[in-house]
Amino acid sequence: MSIKAEHINYLYGEGTAFEQYALKDVSFEIRDGQFIGLIGHTGSGKSTLIQHLNGLLKASSGKIYYNGEDIYQDNYDRKSLRSKVGLVFQYPEHQLFEIDVFSDVCFGPKNQGFSKEEVESRAREALMQVRLEERFWHQSPFELSGGQKRRVAIAGVLAMRPEVLILDEPTAGLDPRGRDEILEEIAVLHRERGMSIILVSHSMEDIARYADRILVMNHGEKVFDAPPKEVFRHDKELEQIGLAAPQVTYVARRLREQGIPMPEDITTVEEAKKAILVLFDRRGKKSMSNDSRKAGDKI
Amino acid sequence: MIREITLGQYYPVDSVLHRMDPRTKLFGTMVFIVSLFLADSLAAYGIVTVFLATAVVLSRVPFGFMVRGLKAMIFLLLISVSFNLFLTPGTEIFRFGFLKITWEGIRLAGFMALRLIYLVIGSSVMTLTTTPNQLTDGLEKGLRLLKKVGVPVHEVSMMMSIALRFIPILVEETDKIMKAQMARGADFESGNLIQKARNMVPLLVPLFISAFRRATDLAMAMEARCYHGGEGRTKMKPLRYERRDGMAYLVYLLYLGAVIGMRYFHVAAGMMPKIA
Amino acid sequence: MAMGIIKASKLVFDYIRQDEDDHIEEVNRAIDGVDVDIREGDFVAILGHNGSGKSTFAKQINGILLPTEGVVWVSGMKTSDDSHIWDIRKTAGMVFQNPDNQIIGNVVEEDVGFGPENLGVPTDEIWRRVDESLAAVGMTAYRLKSPNKLSGGQKQRVAIAGVMAMKPKCIILDEPTAMLDPNGRKEVIRTIHELNKKEGITILLITHYMEEVIDADRVIVMDDGHLVMDGTPREIFSQVRRLKEYRLDVPQVTELAYELKQEGVEIPEGILSIEELVEALISLLGDDAGGQKENVD
């Protein structure tokens, strides 16, 4: 699996006075099994971009290749592309419509034309992947809690067995626990199923925790494309475009500015903790008596 | 971008007509439509034309913009013109098979076309110079009399104004749901009529649910802001007649009088036969 | 003792689901015996996961929902007393989560005028209030715009202005930032802090974004319909484990400080900001080994 975008431009209101670039000369390649964080403030073009990757929007110019095949070719099967590149929209629970959870999840594979047995086995698998308990399967989706609804909606896309899963702010509006559960499920899909993930998020903390590569969009252009540690080193530039690095990255930088030798690539709480504990150990300043063994184990 | 759709077709310039009270414009449009059906001679149409031309000039909206509304009408126009042209009995001038063109047919078709064109231009003068908000305000106040006979005028106009606010939101939402379902393999294009209708279910159900959710939310928000119907409500922008509105009503009166007068004048003088 | 601007006593609220014949099918206790007293002028944050009862509590305050048991007073008026309902709603204005579903007007300034219109305020006074309210939330430049053309944060500021125009003493915001991006969230939080400081408006902010509550005067945590924690942000955030039990989260720096403390580092409790953590760490690490204990900054 690979997605390759070459010089994608997308214009709104082409040919009118309101003509405006939503995407401007965007190129990148996503290889098998990557976990990509896509960030950018509202209106930066990230939602437009992901809709190009499964062929819902067509670029004004530029090419997109899926597994080396040009998706804009006349004979290319764009409908099946949509099942290979699963796209979970923002607030996906707003698309639920069936009388029960299970039928709703069946919608995707049914459209793919599979037999009833196959459709149902895919639906079951998908509902298990999002860890929705079986007792909810035959309830109306509208009676579930917000977090459960969202998981049903994600299962609705997973049931098509996509090779790539794109999620547009899958945690928006959820409480912290609901957010962590969804993110953990996505991480499992990536880790255990080898699915490629593109996660659109506003939370730098989440992105830093899960992504191995970050694409940053601003005004329709790709401004960064690198591993998190590298991208978050540019916290000044990120701030200029209305973004920021995770809090701990700032802590590490301030400490460094004060002459404390912190590593430059701290992006998660775990990493910060380890680095700080190393400093304390080195200086023997930590007044820890019985805790020392425990701390030593963790480092 | 769907968000850019504007309802109605307000053309933002400053003119006497733009500043005029919406009630005056609503009433004027009514007078104009009535006059179109009263006018029955070339001379009367002359008066109608002068009236309309004055309004167009006063509105300061480019004429090209106004006739744009006609494009959508062209088919209807052609049908009604050809019906009148070919099917009116009378003195034959030209014959092609069973189709014949009569002197009366030409007259009738001509007036019919003129009437339709004037009707469209006349009502666009109003919609181009009045924002949808002003229009609902004008309706609420202009139809105040109906409240006496139990028509919920305030409620209806509140509904219209809320609809104006939410239509663009729902249009955008439709687009979003459609895309979300297409991402799950939904097909909104192919199939016969019944299949197509069935394929709309995944779009319509979420859309209705969303509309209901928005409606409940909005009702709660309105209540929280002390909305309790039209009773005891004041207006931030109350409609107030100015001198120009008085003048306009005077013009309407003279105009209508003239058009009606022309009818009697012609009938009495027997100069021209009635046309419709 | 004098009563605060909002007071709830033994408040209980049940959501009742009935079948077609009005038989009670299910009773859901959303609020279960809450006692709380909010002081005028305070900035109070209410935390809790989805379903903890915090939104239901908010709706109790301005009389959208009425107590099943117990009493809620707003400025000394009982919410269950019908004759005060409009006074209560204008005293304790409310801002909701979805910015689109609470703006009624087709033009920003007309929306702000909606509340005063309903209250029967004379036209001149409406204009004065609209001007002031738009200025207070920094939206004067957008007064003639259609709400559909605004960003989420701007829409919420318009909604806040709409409440301000009713001259409230208190504003309750029910997850006003849940649907916004980080910039929109900052915009809204900054705005309500300003209203709190400059206009002395009591603020009740319901949220589950922890970084939004660190500047509050008081934080209340709700869980399962109960009020389970109540204190200053520092007091609340020093109990990281307990917060996690209530399905809540803490800012990264708070968590880092807590983790370090667990490992035996002598760091003060309830660290809330980057600056605090950096200072604390510098005073522990910064002076070179064997140097003076006092850190002179």
Side-chain angles (χ1 to χ4, degrees), chain B residues 224-268:
Chain B
R225 281 163 79 185
C226 299
Y227 180 72
H228 50 282
E231 217 58 50
R233 239 178 148 246
T234 44
K235 284 264 180 195
M236 180 180 178
K237 296 175 177 171
L239 294 177
R240 226 170 310 187
Y241 279 132
E242 305 276 334
R243 235 182 89 194
R244 56 174 170 265
D245 296 297
M247 303 272 284
Y249 278 104
L250 193 66
V251 171
Y252 297 161
L253 199 68
L254 292 173
Y255 166 71
L256 208 57
V259 174
I260 294 173
M262 289 309 277
R263 267 173 95 89
Y264 289 105
F265 179 67
H266 289 302
V267 174

Side-chain angles (χ1 to χ4, degrees), chain A residues 39-41 204 216-219 223-224 230-245 250 253:
Chain A
I39 58 182
H41 62 81
M204 301 308 144
V216 183
M217 297 290 296
N218 188 40
H219 293 307
V223 286
F224 289 107
E230 217 156 292
V231 171
F232 289 135
R233 205 168 288 166
H234 299 274
D235 53 334
K236 292 262 156 60
E237 288 100 316
L238 288 174
E239 275 164 34
Q240 272 166 12
I241 58 175
L243 301 169
Y250 288 98
R253 158 186 296 246

Side-chain angles (χ1 to χ4, degrees), chain C residues 191-247:
Chain C
T191 305
I192 54 180
H193 271 292
E194 259 175 48
L195 294 179
N196 177 249
K197 292 213 179 69
K198 288 190 190 147
E199 322 263 335
I201 308 272
T202 310
I203 300 282
L204 238 75
L205 172 67
I206 291 165
T207 185
H208 44 231
Y209 287 111
M210 303 303 142
E211 59 276 21
E212 290 175 0
V213 314
I214 53 177
D215 295 322
D217 298 311
R218 178 177 172 191
V219 178
I220 291 171
V221 180
M222 284 189 73
D223 185 63
D224 202 19
H226 301 277
L227 197 157
V228 289
M229 291 170 90
D230 187 349
T232 62
R234 203 172 299 285
E235 285 161 7
I236 301 290
F237 281 129
S238 55
Q239 306 177 56
V240 175
R241 179 150 301 156
R242 225 174 130 200
L243 285 169
K244 293 208 165 171
E245 270 165 35
Y246 296 131
R247 306 191 52 167

Side-chain angles (χ1 to χ4, degrees), chain B residues 3 133 161 164-166 168 214 217-218 220-223 225-228 232-237, chain C residues 62 64 86 89 96 100-107 109-111 114 117-118 120-121 123 127 148:
Chain B
R3 240 175 218 272
N133 283 339
S161 114
L164 283 173
R165 156 124 180 75
F166 278 88
R214 287 183 191 281
D217 279 7
L218 188 72
M220 202 186 345
M222 287 171 74
E223 253 187 74
R225 281 163 79 185
C226 299
Y227 180 72
H228 50 282
R233 239 178 148 246
T234 44
K235 284 264 180 195
M236 180 180 178
K237 296 175 177 171
Chain C
N62 89 345
I64 289 177
W86 306 118
R89 288 194 180 154
F96 298 88
D100 275 325
N101 298 357
Q102 57 183 318
I103 294 181
I104 296 108
N106 287 288
V107 178
E109 62 174 20
E110 286 175 14
D111 184 74
F114 181 75
E117 283 184 336
N118 293 332
V121 173
T123 300
W127 280 91
N148 290 337

Side-chain angles (χ1 to χ4, degrees), chain C:
Chain C
M1 201 182 87
M3 192 191 282
I5 180 153
I6 293 160
K7 185 176 158 76
S9 163
K10 301 194 179 62
L11 176 64
V12 171
F13 182 77
D14 293 333
Y15 280 106
I16 297 171
R17 211 165 75 168
Q18 290 169 322
D19 63 11
E20 282 113 43
D21 309 319
D22 287 348
H23 294 306
I24 292 167
E25 255 188 0
E26 205 184 325
V27 176
N28 243 322
R29 183 147 291 194
I31 298 180
D32 192 5
V34 165
D35 288 286
V36 73
D37 198 337
I38 308 272
R39 205 172 51 181
E40 188 157 1
D42 267 2
F43 189 117
V44 180
I46 302 181
L47 294 174
H49 62 82
N50 290 342
S52 60
K54 59 191 197 309
S55 282
T56 310
F57 178 62
K59 285 170 192 147
Q60 292 282 340
I61 299 170
N62 89 345
I64 289 177
L65 297 175
L66 296 175
T68 308
E69 287 166 36
V71 191
V72 176
W73 289 274
V74 173
S75 264
M77 300 174 280
K78 274 190 196 177
T79 55
S80 53
D81 182 350
D82 252 4
S83 62
H84 284 143
I85 191 68
W86 306 118
D87 288 325
I88 286 169
R89 288 194 180 154
K90 80 175 190 210
T91 309
M94 190 139 181
V95 175
F96 298 88
Q97 182 186 103
N98 188 323
D100 275 325
N101 298 357
Q102 57 183 318
I103 294 181
I104 296 108
N106 287 288
V107 178
V108 167
E109 62 174 20
E110 286 175 14
D111 184 74
V112 178
F114 181 75
E117 283 184 336
N118 293 332
L119 294 169
V121 173
T123 300
D124 297 344
E125 172 69 13
I126 296 180
W127 280 91
R128 227 182 343 267
R129 289 189 183 193
V130 169
D131 292 347
E132 285 169 10
S133 310
L134 282 172
V137 301
M139 286 296 289
T140 307
Y142 299 86
R143 65 181 304 156
L144 294 176
K145 287 258 187 318
S146 153
N148 290 337
K149 305 239 156 127
L150 305 181
S151 72
Q154 290 171 332
K155 283 182 206 167
Q156 286 301 48
R157 276 152 71 197
V158 171
I160 295 169
V163 170
M164 283 298 288
M166 298 195 295
K167 300 249 174 212
K169 288 187 190 158
C170 167
I171 302 181
I172 304 136
L173 302 104
D174 187 3
E175 295 191 36
T177 57
M179 300 181 73
L180 307 183
D181 67 8
N183 291 337
R185 268 156 50 189
K186 275 186 216 143
E187 230 176 282
V188 169
I189 298 300
R190 198 189 315 123
T191 305
I192 54 180
H193 271 292
E194 259 175 48
L195 294 179
N196 177 249
K197 292 213 179 69
K198 288 190 190 147
E199 322 263 335
I201 308 272
T202 310
I203 300 282
L204 238 75
L205 172 67
I206 291 165
T207 185
H208 44 231
Y209 287 111
M210 303 303 142
E211 59 276 21
E212 290 175 0
V213 314
I214 53 177
D215 295 322
D217 298 311
R218 178 177 172 191
V219 178
I220 291 171
V221 180
M222 284 189 73
D223 185 63
D224 202 19
H226 301 277
L227 197 157
V228 289
M229 291 170 90
D230 187 349
T232 62
R234 203 172 299 285
E235 285 161 7
I236 301 290
F237 281 129
S238 55
Q239 306 177 56
V240 175
R241 179 150 301 156
R242 225 174 130 200
L243 285 169
K244 293 208 165 171
E245 270 165 35
Y246 296 131
R247 306 191 52 167
L248 295 170
D249 206 357
V250 292
Q252 267 198 337
V253 283
T254 311
E255 181 165 6
L256 178 56
Y258 173 79
E259 294 274 327
L260 289 172
K261 199 168 176 69
Q262 292 300 100
E263 297 293 343
V265 177
E266 280 180 336
I267 214 161
E269 284 199 329
I271 292 276
L272 298 175
S273 67
I274 296 172
E275 289 71 28
E276 282 176 12
L277 180 61
V278 170
E279 243 171 68
L281 286 173
I282 287 173
S283 71
L284 289 170
L285 284 168
D287 46 345
D288 14 80
Q292 71 270 42
K293 293 259 186 286
E294 291 291 307
N295 206 23
V296 210
D297 271 16

